[in-house]
Amino acid sequence: MTNKAKEDAEKRDAAAVAKCLAEHTFPPKLSGWELFRSIGSPKHVVAPMVDQSELAWRVLSRRYAADLCYTPMFNAKLFAKDVKYRDEHWAGLKDGIGGGGPNDRPLIVQFCANDPEYLLQSALLVAPYCDAVDINLGCPQHIARRGHYGSFLMEDWPLIASLISTLHKNLPIPVTAKIRVFPEAEKTVEYAKMVVAAGAQILVVHGRLREMKGHLTGVADWEKIRLVQEAVGHLVPVIANGNILYHEDVAACMEKTGCAGVMSAEGSLYNPAIFTPGHPESWRLAEEYLTICDELDTKVAYVRGHLFKIFRPSLNVHVDLRSELGLANSRETMWEVTRKLKERLIEDEEKSRQSGESFEGRKDEQGFPILPHWVAQPYFRQPMPPQEQKDTSAKKEGDQNVETTTASTKRSADESGHRDSEDHTNTTVKSKSSGNKNTMSEKERNRVKNKKAKYAATKCQNESGCNNAFSATCSSHRCKGCCRQYQREIERYDCPPHGIRSMQKEMRGRLPRVDSDEAIGGVALEGMIVGSSVASFVAPAVEGEEHEPKAAERCLIL
């Protein structure tokens, strides 16, 4: 940036700050521990989660001992420039509602950004309605790599310092930051010192590396968090994030790290009462959440996503209700599914009690509590098996070898959680090349080698980190399993190779007759549009669950 451009940017920043100060009154700006004490010295913190820490979820979390909540991550550039995006993500911002009201404090608003000017503009818009603005320096998703934000700024310390210092110098409220750790403890500590020196007044440390996500999430490193706390904890409060699965983990984390508080993300999604002792019935939490959603007119897609997580263990037992919940396109329908599941879960609990079954003190082979499916509990994401795993069971040659290898790889895939046909095919190729290596010709070896290279180039595009290959004709560039899960999320079941016929029929059965009065007018139903001749399904506008173009538009920062 030239000196002239820098001066112009500073003038624009000064004008924006002056406008904000003229329109709103702010208390004295606090820093570090003063800020922390002013918001009640929060020990229990609900993390910023895209599409999942919306207002209704924050209200529910506060009822179960959450002391501080973050908004979902907002894209600073889009928030500053696009009124439609701003209204969609924070409805009623100009009126001070939709977040930051009397029932939604203390509150920290989080932005992802790589441009200080857009970040300041966005922060000034929300400053009157929150206690601080947070900068996301920890998002590990592929879309963050493309947009150049989140954890993919970790190597660009000057830019990070510029983002934080711009808000620290100009914003009338404090700035905070959320980071991930480096593989090296020393570099992590130096990184944290730089972030604090730039102006961050609260530091949240997620004890995982940037590469640890999806099936590769792994265990957070509390020791690195402890080292950061020892290095900067006397200057600003440090909050630990990672490995909070049960209520007991909160105290254990604070004791191990010495941090001022603990942040929970996934743990709170599967059990919003994680900051209170015990495990409440999932249907009670669901009913309470739905009641809040009715009062706040929460988006249907947000509600559906939360219900799937709250009811996850229950839906593994009552699988028929899973599709009903996936097809629910109104809160009324979700109430119906919840009531059905409630009746079944109460019956399951009663049968268990009458049979004398007890879960007290029961643990699995890893030492985790075994809980009944009708209570809220954490979800353990299964690790992906190594892609180069070899199958040594194939010993025969020719066609017999292929058949034997195919059968064994299917069994291996079933045991490790793979049910995708493309994955079976590629595993078979690998098993054949290893189990019959000595008998293959040079030509055949080259063919197998080329298939491996092709497999690596067509990796499933699901952001959870799936390592399967995707079908060439798949509309979403996903493997079969991930594509079908994605179709259920967006309520479109028309992928050419992976279409779900049962869902297509069920959705078609809900359409009005083409010659009816309802259809003649081209009536728009929630979740679908009915035309004069054909019915085309349109996914609801869901934050984080929309069709791909909108998601890319929403998160891409140029």
Side-chain angles (χ1 to χ4, degrees), residues 83-299:
V83 176
K84 183 178 180 181
Y85 175 90
R86 192 159 59 239
D87 290 343
E88 178 184 352
H89 290 75
W90 194 325
L93 175 61
K94 293 181 180 179
D95 303 318
I97 59 176
N103 296 325
D104 193 29
R105 302 294 283 271
L107 177 69
I108 295 181
V109 178
Q110 188 186 70
F111 289 102
C112 65
N114 59 21
D115 185 305
E117 184 174 359
Y118 283 125
L119 176 60
L120 178 60
Q121 291 176 15
S122 296
L124 289 170
L125 290 172
V126 302
Y129 315 114
C130 62
D131 298 279
V133 168
D134 185 77
I135 301 176
N136 183 324
L137 300 174
C139 180
Q141 301 302 327
H142 295 297
I143 200 163
R145 180 196 295 272
R146 294 195 296 269
H148 190 53
Y149 62 81
S151 65
F152 296 96
L153 298 181
M154 289 176 69
E155 287 75 26
D156 195 346
W157 291 18
L159 176 56
I160 290 176
S162 176
L163 292 170
I164 297 173
S165 62
T166 297
L167 294 193
H168 180 56
K169 294 174 183 176
N170 297 287
L171 197 64
I173 62 174
V175 57
T176 67
K178 185 173 184 289
I179 66 173
R180 285 197 171 217
V181 299
F182 284 94
E184 306 85 7
E186 296 79 7
K187 189 172 183 179
T188 299
V189 171
E190 291 304 313
Y191 180 46
K193 288 181 178 178
M194 180 274 296
V195 170
V196 172
Q201 303 305 311
I202 294 177
L203 182 64
V204 178
V205 183
H206 188 168
R208 291 186 172 92
L209 306 177
R210 179 170 59 199
E211 296 75 21
M212 298 172 70
K213 58 187 177 182
H215 291 283
L216 303 176
T217 296
V219 179
D221 191 340
W222 285 356
E223 177 60 19
K224 288 179 182 174
I225 300 177
R226 183 187 68 80
L227 294 174
V228 171
Q229 156 64 23
E230 290 180 351
V232 302
H234 63 290
L235 300 173
V236 299
V238 178
I239 296 175
N241 179 210
N243 297 351
I244 308 302
L245 300 174
Y246 301 94
H247 174 68
E248 295 75 17
D249 295 331
V250 175
C253 181
M254 294 183 68
E255 180 180 357
K256 176 70 175 178
T257 63
C259 288
V262 169
M263 174 180 284
S264 177
E266 272 203 344
S268 67
L269 290 178
Y270 293 94
N271 179 12
I274 193 170
F275 293 127
T276 61
H279 297 272
E281 291 94 340
S282 55
W283 58 266
R284 292 185 187 276
L285 295 171
E287 287 188 333
E288 189 170 2
Y289 174 62
L290 281 168
T291 301
I292 297 171
C293 291
D294 288 342
E295 295 173 354
L296 298 175
D297 194 24
T298 306
K299 286 185 178 180

Side-chain angles (χ1 to χ4, degrees), residues 327 484 487-488 491-511 528 535 537:
L327 289 169
R484 291 195 165 182
Q487 290 180 69
R488 290 187 176 92
E491 296 186 0
R492 293 187 65 171
Y493 311 102
D494 54 356
C495 177
H498 302 142
I500 307 176
R501 294 183 180 178
S502 59
M503 295 294 188
Q504 293 173 358
K505 291 179 181 178
E506 188 160 352
M507 294 294 280
R508 281 198 295 267
R510 298 186 176 195
L511 295 174
M528 59 185 76
F537 296 98

Side-chain angles (χ1 to χ4, degrees), residues 181-490:
V181 299
F182 284 94
E184 306 85 7
E186 296 79 7
K187 189 172 183 179
T188 299
V189 171
E190 291 304 313
Y191 180 46
K193 288 181 178 178
M194 180 274 296
V195 170
V196 172
Q201 303 305 311
I202 294 177
L203 182 64
V204 178
V205 183
H206 188 168
R208 291 186 172 92
L209 306 177
R210 179 170 59 199
E211 296 75 21
M212 298 172 70
K213 58 187 177 182
H215 291 283
L216 303 176
T217 296
V219 179
D221 191 340
W222 285 356
E223 177 60 19
K224 288 179 182 174
I225 300 177
R226 183 187 68 80
L227 294 174
V228 171
Q229 156 64 23
E230 290 180 351
V232 302
H234 63 290
L235 300 173
V236 299
V238 178
I239 296 175
N241 179 210
N243 297 351
I244 308 302
L245 300 174
Y246 301 94
H247 174 68
E248 295 75 17
D249 295 331
V250 175
C253 181
M254 294 183 68
E255 180 180 357
K256 176 70 175 178
T257 63
C259 288
V262 169
M263 174 180 284
S264 177
E266 272 203 344
S268 67
L269 290 178
Y270 293 94
N271 179 12
I274 193 170
F275 293 127
T276 61
H279 297 272
E281 291 94 340
S282 55
W283 58 266
R284 292 185 187 276
L285 295 171
E287 287 188 333
E288 189 170 2
Y289 174 62
L290 281 168
T291 301
I292 297 171
C293 291
D294 288 342
E295 295 173 354
L296 298 175
D297 194 24
T298 306
K299 286 185 178 180
V300 169
Y302 294 176
V303 183
R304 185 191 302 109
H306 282 300
L307 292 182
F308 265 118
K309 290 180 173 62
I310 293 175
F311 284 137
R312 183 178 181 87
S314 305
L315 293 174
N316 288 337
V317 176
H318 301 283
V319 293
D320 59 307
L321 294 181
R322 182 184 300 165
S323 60
E324 285 194 34
L325 181 58
L327 289 169
N329 55 12
S330 67
R331 288 194 299 274
E332 291 75 13
T333 310
M334 293 179 190
W335 266 110
E336 293 177 9
V337 176
T338 299
R339 292 188 186 100
K340 290 180 183 178
L341 194 50
K342 172 185 176 180
E343 293 177 0
R344 297 190 190 183
L345 296 180
I346 291 176
E347 184 179 349
D348 291 345
E349 185 175 4
E350 180 62 21
K351 287 181 180 178
S352 176
R353 186 187 64 80
Q354 291 179 358
S355 66
E357 185 179 17
S358 175
F359 291 89
E360 185 175 356
R362 291 178 58 183
K363 296 181 181 295
D364 62 17
E365 55 187 18
Q366 295 180 329
F368 293 112
I370 297 176
L371 301 171
H373 63 269
W374 52 82
V375 302
Q377 55 192 275
Y379 164 56
F380 294 91
R381 185 179 285 107
Q382 297 300 316
M384 295 288 288
Q387 283 298 306
E388 296 301 326
Q389 181 179 5
K390 296 182 179 181
D391 187 347
T392 59
S393 62
K395 298 180 180 179
K396 297 184 180 181
E397 301 180 4
D399 294 339
Q400 186 176 357
N401 177 60
V402 175
E403 293 174 3
T404 305
T405 308
T406 302
S408 66
T409 50
K410 284 185 177 180
R411 289 195 298 271
S412 175
D414 288 340
E415 291 170 1
S416 58
H418 286 275
R419 296 177 176 83
D420 183 74
S421 60
E422 291 92 342
D423 185 54
H424 290 162
T425 302
N426 287 285
T427 308
T428 302
V429 172
K430 293 175 183 175
S431 299
K432 180 177 178 181
S433 63
S434 59
N436 197 27
K437 184 174 181 180
N438 295 330
T439 61
M440 285 196 301
S441 65
E442 187 67 26
K443 182 177 179 180
E444 189 172 8
R445 288 179 189 174
N446 290 334
R447 179 177 60 82
V448 172
K449 183 178 180 180
N450 291 335
K451 283 194 174 183
K452 286 186 179 180
K454 182 178 179 181
Y455 171 78
T458 57
K459 188 176 178 181
C460 175
Q461 299 300 299
N462 191 23
E463 293 183 356
S464 67
C466 177
N467 288 319
N468 295 337
F470 69 75
S471 300
T473 56
C474 177
S475 58
S476 62
H477 291 177
R478 287 170 167 82
C479 67
K480 182 177 180 181
C482 292
C483 178
R484 291 195 165 182
Q485 180 181 356
Y486 178 70
Q487 290 180 69
R488 290 187 176 92
E489 291 174 355
I490 66 172

